[in-house]
């Protein structure tokens, strides 16, 4: 391979977070050519994000120890200063909220332009970049009021402001709804066609497929280029994906169906003319719906449409007016489960809930029950660990268990599949289905419309301050409209 | 007032506060308080309702000081120690005088503080401190980033409270149960923020372009010398 064609390469790369910890990866090699879109796929928690941070030059400066060599355009990465490195290579974090340094959209872009000592008209260049990413109307908006999709576009815009020729993206669609994902993917595709090299870390393929050069299945050792799969080979090598708990499309959802709910099942939740308040002002009104025992209700809608507020009202911790009947105590699992942990060990988290639910139970019985539940949720090996030391998937399972252990008949879930790979999501769905069959009622707020379409008994769209029921067919048609099938077929037949 | 350089405006008001702090001049304190509040109130774009609400603690504190000085003077109101500075009495322990001295000073500080808070912008202040007072960019942008996180931290405080309530855990406003998850989050955020700044090309010692220029105009010097000159003159002649 001509050296001038290589954008980024690494050889014999090894990384560990601490001296006494096991290496996250070792003897890893990888080469990315200029103009490629390379997708590095692997299950959640396998170390692919750590590799992304190493390749972006952020580790080992901020964490851990790195061995081996990384070359960016033929020059060792360690020889670049932050400013010159950002002028060649930039990174988009999974959570865009963690990436903003300023308060307003225009300030954020100008900050990047100042950093690279841009010599032209800063204001003009900022407007040009915002127009390129469709954010020109938002120039003076505070960043915190933007939707998730707009935030990722702004992160992309800021990365482009540094004049980076390569972007590393860490699951950029993790918290975006399908429309926002489609729009961002379209933008990245355009940038790629103009020569921007993309190295993407993700556990999903769908949005990348139309402009992908190759997929690399992540392993924590060896030459990753040998694990490359071109788009033409994807279908025939499906088994390799499945063995890692990864899927090419959403076929893993095919075996999911809404739980069977008898017609005469009792009503567990009934809301009538509900008015919800935000900052003492009503922002959702005339909300009416019912949820039957053993059913799944999906609340869908854009960021800020009020899904979380509705869940909090149902859990008894949000302000509302109107009639809200609950057939039992409701447990609520937040989008970020880390906010819900109250102790320093995994087992203690469960014991706290068990003790509160079964006041008269003996300590040994509580202990045994905690172990049994932890085993069922695949967490027994970590029972003495801190809840904060668990992986994202494990934390979500622990938060779920901490609620379910209290025997609440109604479970409210806020974005249960956020930043989870399919294997992790399936694990959670299996656990929930078992309890749904025993009569648990689930209401979940989600961006994952595909999951909502196959798994929910009813789908409620929160839009413009009101609640509208959707059929799963309407949802499926909406999703299909975002990824035109013909285009995908065309792309697949083109040589990469 | 809003067009003044925020760094120089801050310097002016700090000097003014120091001048007032070494003396107890009731009339001057009241003139400063009234003048500052009048200017703030008349500055276009100032949220007057918030200004009045913001003044409430100062009025309450002034009232408290007045009552304490009036009824609980250290000498019972008969004798006192007289201290002078700049030719001014700085302490004279007649009860009513002490009360007025203490409370009027609080109002003067309140006036100066409100004048600054309601006519200045944190972003411009940091830019001015960097450009005119040579604050290193690392500190300047670090302060700004931390400042921008205030609304997020406030939001998180509410979320953690709600999350604990959902688990049936009782936690007071400053309970460790409530603060611990926030502390973990804050530590992670500070690290990710440093990484974010670096990933956007921020380098403390590298040359950088300037998008926001805060200029020093003759009006800034007029304000600096004018206000403090007037206070000194007031101390000497009023």
């Amino acid at each position: 391979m001509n050296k001038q064609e290589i954008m980024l390469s690494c050889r014999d790369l090894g990384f560990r977070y601490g001296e006494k910890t096991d290496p996250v990866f070792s003897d890893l090699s990888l080469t990315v050519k200029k103009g490629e879109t390379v997708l590095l796929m692997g299950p959640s928690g396998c170390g692919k994000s750590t590799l992304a941070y190493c390749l972006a030059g952020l580790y080992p400066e901020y964490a851990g120890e790195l061995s081996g060599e990384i070359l960016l355009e033929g020059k060792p990465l360690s020889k670049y200063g932050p400013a010159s490195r950002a002028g060649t290579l930039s990174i988009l974090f999974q959570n865009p909220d963690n990436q903003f340094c300023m308060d307003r959209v225009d300030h954020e872009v100008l900050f990047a332009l100042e950093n690279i000592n841009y010599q032209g008209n800063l204001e003009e260049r900022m407007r040009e970049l915002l127009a390129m990413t469709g954010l020109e109307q938002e120039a003076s908006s505070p960043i915190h009021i933007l939707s998730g999709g707009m935030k990722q576009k702004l992160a992309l815009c800021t990365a482009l402001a540094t004049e980076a020729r390569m972007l590393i993206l860490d699951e950029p669609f993790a918290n975006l709804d399908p429309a926002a994902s489609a729009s961002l993917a379209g933008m990245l595709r355009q940038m790629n066609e103009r020569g921007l090299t993309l190295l993407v870390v993700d556990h999903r393929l769908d949005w990348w497929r139309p402009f992908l050069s190759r997929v690399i299945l992540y392993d924590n050792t060896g030459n990753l280029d040998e694990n490359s799969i071109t788009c033409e080979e994807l279908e025939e090598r499906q088994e390799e994906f499945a063995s890692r708990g990864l899927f090419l499309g959403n076929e893993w959802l095919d075996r999911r169906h809404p739980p069977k709910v008898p017609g005469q099942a009792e009503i567990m939740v009934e809301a009538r003319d509900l008015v919800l308040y935000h900052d003492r002002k009503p922002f959702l009104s005339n909300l009416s719906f019912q949820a039957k025992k053993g059913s799944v209700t999906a609340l869908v809608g854009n960021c800020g449409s009020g899904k979380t507020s509705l869940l909090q009202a149902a859990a008894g911790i949000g302000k509302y007016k109107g009639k809200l009947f609950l057939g039992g105590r409701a447990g609520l699992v937040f989008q970020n489960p880390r906010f819900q942990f109250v102790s320093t060990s995994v087992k203690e988290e469960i014991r706290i809930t068990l003790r509160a639910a079964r006041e008269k139970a003996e300590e040994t019985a509580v202990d045994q029950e905690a172990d049994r539940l932890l085993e069922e949720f695949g967490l027994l090996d970590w029972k003495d660990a801190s809840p904060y030391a668990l992986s994202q998937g494990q934390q979500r399972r622990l938060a779920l268990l901490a609620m379910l252990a209290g025997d609440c008949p109604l479970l409210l879930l806020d974005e249960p599949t956020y930043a989870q790979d399919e294997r992790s999501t399936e694990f959670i769905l299996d656990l929930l289905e078992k309890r749904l069959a025993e009569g648990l009622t689930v209401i979940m707020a989600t961006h994952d419309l595909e999951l909502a379409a196959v798994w929910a008994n009813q789908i409620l769209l929160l839009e413009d301050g009101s609640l509208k029921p959707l059929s799963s067919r309407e949802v499926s048609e909406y999703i299909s409209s975002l990824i035109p099938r013909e285009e995908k077929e065309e792309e697949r037949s083109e040589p990469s | 007032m809003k067009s003044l350089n925020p760094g120089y405006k801050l310097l002016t008001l700090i000097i003014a506060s120091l001048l007032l702090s070494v003396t107890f001049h009731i009339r001057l304190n009241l003139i400063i308080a009234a003048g500052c509040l009048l200017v703030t109130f008349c500055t276009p774009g100032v949220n007057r309702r918030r200004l009045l609400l913001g003044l409430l603690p100062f009025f309450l504190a002034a009232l408290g000081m007045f009552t304490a000085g009036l009824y609980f003077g250290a000498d019972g109101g008969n004798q006192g120690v007289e201290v002078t500075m700049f030719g001014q009495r700085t302490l004279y322990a007649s009860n009513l005088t002490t009360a007025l001295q203490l409370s009027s000073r609080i109002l003067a500080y309140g006036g100066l503080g409100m004048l600054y808070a309601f006519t200045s912008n944190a972003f411009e202040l940091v830019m001015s401190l960097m450009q005119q007072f040579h604050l290193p960019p690392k500190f300047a942008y670090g302060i700004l980033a931390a400042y921008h996180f205030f609304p997020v931290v406030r939001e998180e405080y509410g979320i953690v409270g709600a999350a604990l309530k959902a688990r049936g855990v009782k936690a007071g406003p400053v309970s460790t149960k409530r603060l611990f998850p926030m502390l973990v989050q804050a530590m992670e955020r500070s690290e990710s923020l440093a990484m974010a700044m670096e990933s956007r090309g921020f380098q403390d010692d590298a040359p950088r372009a300037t998008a926001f220029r805060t200029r020093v105009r003759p009006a800034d010097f007029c304000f600096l010398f004018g206000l403090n000159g007037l206070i000194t003159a007031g101390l000497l002649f009023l």
Side-chain angles (χ1 to χ4, degrees):
Chain A
M1 196 185 302
N2 186 343
K3 274 187 180 174
Q4 285 178 340
E5 286 177 8
I6 299 172
M7 186 72 204
L8 180 81
S9 65
C10 66
R11 205 179 305 148
D12 304 327
L13 213 61
F15 182 86
R16 63 175 80 223
Y17 277 100
E19 266 179 36
K20 290 175 186 166
T21 56
D22 292 334
V24 180
F25 50 76
S26 56
D27 298 321
L28 214 63
S29 300
L30 170 71
T31 308
V32 180
K33 285 189 279 180
K34 285 180 181 168
E36 271 194 310
T37 298
V38 178
L39 173 60
L40 196 59
M41 280 182 89
S44 299
C46 67
K48 56 189 191 310
S49 291
T50 305
L51 176 62
Y53 280 68
C54 291
L55 295 177
L58 298 173
Y59 288 174
E61 195 183 328
Y62 289 95
E65 297 166 1
L66 183 77
S67 60
E69 188 184 42
I70 302 172
L71 296 175
L72 179 60
E73 291 193 326
K75 185 176 155 187
L77 191 64
S78 53
K79 301 269 186 233
Y80 285 81
S84 59
R85 193 177 62 222
T88 314
L89 164 77
S90 197
I91 181 169
L92 246 65
F93 297 167
Q94 187 184 95
N95 182 354
D97 279 326
N98 288 343
Q99 191 147 9
F100 299 125
C101 312
M102 307 298 270
D103 55 343
R104 280 175 23 175
V105 170
D106 52 353
H107 291 176
E108 184 69 24
V109 181
L110 286 168
F111 172 66
L113 290 171
E114 285 181 316
N115 291 341
I116 58 151
N117 200 11
Y118 184 76
Q119 291 302 306
N121 185 324
L122 292 158
E123 198 71 24
E124 223 168 71
R125 177 69 182 145
M126 179 265 292
R127 303 246 163 241
E128 203 178 288
L129 286 160
L130 289 179
M132 204 192 287
T133 42
L135 290 170
E136 62 270 49
Q137 302 296 325
E138 306 295 335
S140 52
S141 302
I143 295 173
H144 70 93
I145 65 158
L146 299 183
S147 68
M150 280 183 174
K151 281 179 182 168
Q152 277 297 23
K153 279 184 190 168
L154 176 60
L156 173 65
C157 180
T158 321
L160 295 175
T162 63
E163 297 179 346
R165 294 184 289 282
M166 176 175 180
L167 274 188
I168 295 178
L169 303 110
D170 185 11
E171 297 190 30
F173 303 134
N175 195 26
L176 302 191
D177 56 56
S181 302
S183 168
L184 183 65
M187 212 165 268
L188 286 166
R189 184 180 180 174
Q190 274 180 17
M191 306 290 168
N192 179 240
E193 282 164 359
R194 287 183 209 159
L196 186 71
T197 309
L198 301 174
L199 174 62
V200 185
V201 162
D202 211 333
H203 56 81
R204 293 185 71 160
L205 183 75
D206 39 10
W207 299 109
W208 306 108
R209 207 163 169 162
F211 59 107
L212 202 56
S213 309
R214 60 193 163 113
V215 180
I216 292 177
L217 292 175
Y218 176 85
D219 264 331
N220 60 4
T221 189
N223 185 354
L224 290 181
D225 294 316
E226 288 170 6
N227 295 356
S228 288
I229 299 172
T230 61
C231 288
E232 292 76 37
E233 297 169 333
L234 283 173
E235 306 301 333
E236 57 197 73
R237 294 178 69 175
Q238 272 196 43
E239 291 295 310
E240 289 174 54
F241 286 82
S243 66
R244 287 171 157 86
L246 299 166
F247 297 87
L248 292 182
N250 286 317
E251 62 272 21
W252 65 280
L253 280 171
D254 292 349
R255 63 185 188 87
R256 299 284 165 191
H257 303 287
K260 288 195 176 76
V261 182
Q264 69 278 19
E266 66 177 285
I267 291 166
M268 281 299 288
V269 183
E270 182 167 17
R272 208 178 298 156
D273 300 328
L274 219 56
V275 182
L276 299 185
Y277 291 80
H278 183 70
D279 281 343
R280 294 180 193 166
K281 289 176 194 152
F283 83 113
L284 288 174
S285 51
N286 297 324
L287 307 181
S288 299
F289 70 96
Q290 283 185 347
K292 287 188 172 174
K293 188 174 179 174
S295 71
V296 175
T297 300
L299 291 175
V300 299
N302 290 331
C303 286
S305 58
K307 303 190 292 289
T308 302
S309 304
L310 184 52
L311 287 186
Q312 291 194 1
I317 52 175
K319 282 183 186 164
Y320 67 89
K321 272 186 186 167
K323 193 193 161 201
L324 180 63
F325 162 79
L326 299 179
R329 205 168 65 81
L332 172 59
V333 181
F334 279 66
Q335 180 176 339
N336 183 349
R338 299 165 73 93
F339 287 136
Q340 273 181 290
F341 299 138
V342 290
S343 69
T344 49
S345 90
V346 167
K347 192 170 175 181
E348 189 56 24
E349 283 292 324
I350 308 307
R351 276 200 292 229
I352 288 172
T353 313
L354 286 172
R355 277 191 217 116
R358 300 163 201 187
E359 284 172 9
K360 287 176 187 163
E362 283 180 23
E363 199 56 28
T364 47
V366 166
D367 222 46
Q368 280 170 4
E369 180 64 1
D371 281 344
R372 188 190 69 75
L373 288 168
L374 285 171
E375 185 161 21
E376 186 190 350
F377 277 64
L379 294 167
L380 193 59
D381 290 345
W382 288 271
K383 66 178 180 179
D384 298 319
S386 160
Y388 298 99
L390 300 179
S391 73
Q392 282 203 44
Q394 289 167 334
Q395 284 183 350
R396 194 160 293 275
R397 289 210 296 274
L398 178 62
L400 188 67
L401 179 57
M403 278 298 159
L404 287 173
D407 299 328
C408 48
L410 173 63
L411 190 65
L412 309 162
L413 304 168
D414 198 356
E415 298 293 348
T417 57
Y418 172 63
Q420 306 276 308
D421 60 17
E422 286 75 10
R423 189 179 278 177
S424 226
T425 304
E426 289 222 282
F427 200 126
I428 288 178
L429 293 183
D430 286 342
L431 292 167
L432 286 173
E433 279 180 4
K434 195 175 151 201
R435 280 162 175 79
L436 279 160
E438 291 164 5
L440 177 76
T441 307
V442 170
I443 300 180
M444 62 170 182
T446 186
H447 280 311
D448 195 340
L449 295 183
E450 286 148 332
L451 174 67
V454 299
W455 200 54
N457 297 84
Q458 63 170 341
I459 303 166
L460 302 170
L461 171 69
L462 265 171
E463 197 177 44
D464 303 326
S466 64
L467 206 54
K468 183 187 158 200
L470 291 179
S471 70
S472 55
R473 194 172 164 181
E474 280 175 293
V475 176
S476 302
E477 281 170 4
Y478 170 68
I479 299 165
S480 318
S481 72
L482 293 171
I483 325 169
R485 297 288 153 191
E486 308 78 54
E487 190 189 340
K488 280 177 71 176
E489 294 305 326
E490 265 173 39
E491 289 301 321
R492 256 181 264 166
S493 60
E494 277 175 22
S496 60
Chain B
M1 190 51 64
K2 280 187 172 174
S3 62
L4 289 177
N5 179 293
Y8 274 84
K9 190 161 53 174
L10 184 65
L11 179 69
T12 307
L13 298 179
I14 287 174
I15 295 174
S17 307
L18 288 173
L19 284 174
L20 292 178
S21 71
V22 294
T23 63
F24 276 103
H25 199 300
I26 298 167
R27 261 186 298 167
L28 185 66
N29 282 344
L30 291 175
I31 290 170
I32 295 283
C36 286
L37 292 177
L38 187 70
V39 171
T40 315
F41 203 80
C42 296
T43 303
V46 166
N47 185 335
R48 293 176 179 133
R49 194 171 156 264
R50 280 185 63 189
L51 172 64
L52 293 174
L53 280 174
L55 277 172
L56 210 61
F58 287 102
F59 279 119
L60 287 174
L63 189 69
M65 281 298 199
F66 182 80
T67 319
L70 191 63
Y71 294 110
F72 308 107
D75 62 335
N78 301 318
Q79 292 175 6
V81 185
E82 189 175 302
V83 179
T84 57
M85 199 176 280
F86 290 130
Q88 297 296 312
R89 267 197 320 242
T90 56
L91 186 68
Y92 181 71
S94 139
N95 283 352
L96 181 64
T97 313
T98 311
L100 283 172
Q101 282 170 339
L102 291 170
S103 54
S104 67
R105 186 196 263 184
I106 294 219
L107 290 178
Y109 285 157
L112 290 170
M114 290 294 150
L115 177 68
Y116 192 81
F118 279 82
T119 63
S120 313
N121 172 306
F123 178 75
E124 285 169 8
L125 170 65
V126 173
M127 290 296 138
S128 161
L129 290 178
M130 198 165 66
Q131 289 167 29
Q132 275 86 45
F133 296 87
H134 304 290
L135 181 73
K138 197 175 177 175
F139 287 107
Y141 284 101
I143 293 167
L144 268 185
Y147 178 75
H148 299 150
F149 272 125
F150 276 132
V152 182
V153 171
R154 199 175 56 183
E155 198 181 318
E156 269 174 12
Y157 182 78
I159 294 174
V160 173
L164 295 177
K165 212 168 156 187
R167 278 199 68 179
V169 176
K170 282 180 188 156
V174 287
S175 152
T176 49
K177 282 181 184 143
R178 195 163 183 162
L179 298 182
F180 187 65
M182 291 187 70
L183 190 68
V184 174
Q185 196 76 5
M187 281 164 65
E188 283 178 2
R189 175 161 306 120
S190 66
E191 191 184 278
S192 77
L193 184 65
M195 289 201 285
M197 284 173 72
E198 199 175 309
S199 74
R200 294 298 175 245
F202 181 80
Q203 193 175 335
D204 198 31
D205 52 1
R208 50 187 297 114
T210 308
F212 312 94
R213 214 165 268 290
T214 51
R215 298 186 191 284
V216 187
R217 298 187 187 85
D220 296 304
F221 289 106
C222 288
F223 185 59
L224 173 67
F225 294 113
L227 181 71
N228 291 310
L230 282 174
I231 292 177
T232 315
L235 288 171
L236 294 172
F237 305 114
L238 267 178

